[in-house]
């Protein structure tokens, strides 16, 4: 082969190699472009929306826990606002899943949205239960006021009668009976005060067992009232005693209702936490999936 032919074939080979390398470079550039496009349009937005869902879900949980413990309206309002943000970003996630055909994001967002709606229903139940608790507290305060005013009126009347009987020189049997009435009504006052203290202490310590432990005292109150009943002769005093007995029974019933609402509210709080945990889990799964695809794309 002539030298010119050899040189020509060599240049030809170099041109072929250059074309092949150029083609590979172009192919890789298109591949990188596709990966970058997928990251920009799909993977990174999926991570971002998942992080938004997680962030606002945590804020919602924090605010509603604060509302359950303090009953301050500001916590409730912030919690509902954050829950609205959670629902908004879940809608964004579903739209992204449809537009970019991301089945993993669609599944996670659908499950999270279902649980977020359930959380909203439980949040509304929390609001209702706390309002019911407040009503019951007001009712207890009114009943206690009635109980104590009637009992004290009875006591003051007995003390006045005792003074008069001593002045008039009443016999020992009459004085003894009067002293017994004073002792018994004081016992009823003590039991009433104990019930009120148990109510306050239980709520201050967030311990319903304090109220539960005090409930048997109402049976003792009725026993004392029964001892008083046969020795109360004045019509006015009989009306007062009956008012004390009725108020005691009403206070017991209201305390039991408060306990029922309280325990129900605690159960709802536990359910709220479990539901929110699912929303967080789905958001974290989506973010983890998005980060993995980003890393996989970057490694290609």
């Amino acid at each position: 082969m002539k030298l010119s032919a050899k040189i020509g074939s060599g240049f030809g080979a170099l041109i072929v190699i250059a074309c092949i390398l150029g083609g590979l470079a172009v192919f890789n550039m298109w591949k990188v472009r596709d990966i970058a496009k997928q990251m920009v349009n799909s993977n990174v937005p999926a991570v971002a929306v998942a992080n938004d869902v997680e962030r606002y879900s945590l804020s919602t949980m924090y605010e509603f826990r604060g509302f359950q413990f303090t009953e301050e309206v500001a916590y409730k309002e912030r919690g509902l606002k954050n829950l609205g943000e959670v629902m908004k970003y879940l809608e964004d996630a579903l739209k992204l899943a449809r537009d970019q055909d991301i089945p993993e994001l669609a599944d996670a967002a659908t499950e999270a949205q279902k649980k977020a709606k359930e959380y909203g229903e439980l949040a509304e139940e929390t609001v209702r239960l706390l309002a019911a608790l407040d009503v019951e507290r007001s009712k207890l305060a009114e009943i206690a006021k009635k109980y104590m005013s009637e009992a004290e009126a009875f006591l003051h009347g007995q003390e006045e009668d005792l003074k008069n009987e001593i002045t008039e020189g009443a016999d020992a049997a009459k004085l003894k009976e009067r002293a017994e009435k004073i002792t018994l009504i004081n016992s009823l006052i003590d039991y009433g005060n104990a019930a009120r203290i148990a109510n306050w202490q239980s709520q201050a310590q967030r311990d319903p067992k304090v109220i539960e432990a005090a409930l048997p005292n109402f049976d003792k109150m009725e026993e004392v009232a029964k001892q008083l009943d046969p020795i109360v002769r004045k019509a006015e005093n009989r009306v007062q005693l009956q008012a004390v007995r009725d108020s005691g029974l009403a206070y017991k019933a209201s305390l039991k209702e408060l306990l029922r609402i309280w325990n129900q509210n605690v159960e709802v709080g536990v359910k709220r936490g479990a539901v929110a945990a699912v929303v967080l889990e789905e958001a974290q799964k989506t973010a983890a999936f998005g980060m993995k695809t980003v890393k996989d794309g970057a490694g290609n």
Side-chain angles (χ1 to χ4, degrees):
M1 181 182 292
K2 292 182 178 181
L3 180 60
S4 60
K6 289 181 179 181
I7 293 173
S9 63
F11 274 113
L14 286 174
I15 292 171
V16 171
I17 292 172
C19 288
I20 292 172
L21 290 175
L24 287 173
V26 170
F27 174 77
N28 285 329
M29 287 177 66
W30 278 100
K31 185 177 179 182
V32 169
R33 189 198 68 169
D34 290 340
I35 293 172
K37 186 177 179 181
Q38 183 180 0
M39 287 182 182
V40 170
N41 295 333
S42 176
N43 300 336
V44 173
V47 173
V49 76
N51 286 337
D52 286 330
V53 170
E54 183 178 6
R55 181 172 70 257
Y56 281 102
S57 295
L58 287 169
S59 296
T60 302
M61 293 171 67
Y62 171 81
E63 298 297 348
F64 265 97
R65 282 175 183 168
F67 178 54
Q68 184 164 0
F69 286 131
T70 68
E71 300 181 33
E72 291 185 15
V73 176
Y75 281 108
K76 178 192 74 173
E77 292 176 346
R78 289 195 296 266
L80 291 175
K81 182 179 179 181
N82 287 330
L83 182 59
E85 293 295 316
V86 171
M87 300 303 294
K88 171 185 172 297
Y89 283 114
L90 285 172
E91 284 293 337
D92 291 347
L94 286 170
K95 183 178 184 303
L96 178 65
R98 289 191 298 268
D99 293 346
Q100 298 298 321
D101 190 21
I102 314 173
E104 294 85 358
L105 178 59
D107 292 343
T110 299
E111 179 64 15
Q113 188 179 60
K114 182 176 73 173
K115 291 299 180 180
K117 288 178 180 177
E118 187 177 343
Y119 188 96
E121 293 169 359
L122 291 169
E124 290 177 3
E125 182 68 1
T126 298
V127 173
R128 185 190 70 79
L129 289 169
L130 289 178
L133 274 178
D134 197 46
V135 169
E136 213 59 44
R137 291 190 195 105
S138 297
K139 188 187 298 184
L140 282 164
E142 287 300 314
I143 296 170
K145 183 179 178 181
K146 174 72 172 174
Y147 180 99
M148 298 308 293
S149 66
E150 295 292 345
E152 288 171 358
F154 185 101
L155 174 61
H156 294 154
Q158 296 304 312
E159 290 173 339
E160 286 299 317
D161 288 343
L162 178 60
K163 289 177 184 178
N164 293 334
E165 287 169 351
I166 291 173
T167 301
E168 295 168 359
D171 59 48
K174 197 169 186 178
L175 293 175
K176 181 180 178 183
E177 182 179 280
R178 188 68 64 192
E180 184 179 0
K181 292 178 186 178
I182 292 174
T183 299
L184 291 172
I185 194 62
N186 272 316
S187 293
L188 285 177
I189 291 173
D190 289 342
Y191 281 128
N193 282 325
R196 295 166 73 189
I197 290 170
N199 178 24
W200 298 332
Q201 182 180 354
S202 180
Q203 295 186 64
Q205 296 178 353
R206 299 192 175 278
D207 184 2
K209 292 181 180 178
V210 178
I211 290 179
E212 292 170 0
L215 289 176
N217 285 338
F218 289 95
D219 294 332
K220 296 176 183 178
M221 291 165 67
E222 182 58 23
E223 290 174 9
V224 172
K226 286 179 179 178
Q227 293 177 51
L228 257 176
D229 193 51
I231 57 176
V232 175
R233 295 178 175 82
K234 286 184 179 180
E236 178 185 4
N237 294 150
R238 296 197 65 81
V239 170
Q240 291 166 341
L241 178 59
Q242 189 58 49
V244 170
R245 297 174 81 169
D246 291 344
S247 297
L249 291 173
Y251 199 87
K252 178 183 179 181
S254 190
L255 267 185
K256 291 175 77 172
E257 177 64 7
L258 183 139
L259 278 175
R260 184 192 68 78
I261 297 169
W262 188 346
N263 289 328
Q264 188 178 352
N265 187 42
V266 171
E267 291 174 7
V268 169
V270 172
K271 290 179 182 177
R272 272 202 338 267
V275 168
V278 176
V279 177
L280 290 173
E281 181 182 0
E282 295 301 328
Q284 290 163 356
K285 280 165 51 178
T286 301
F289 170 77
M291 289 303 299
K292 181 178 182 301
T293 55
V294 169
K295 290 178 181 178
D296 291 345
N300 289 330

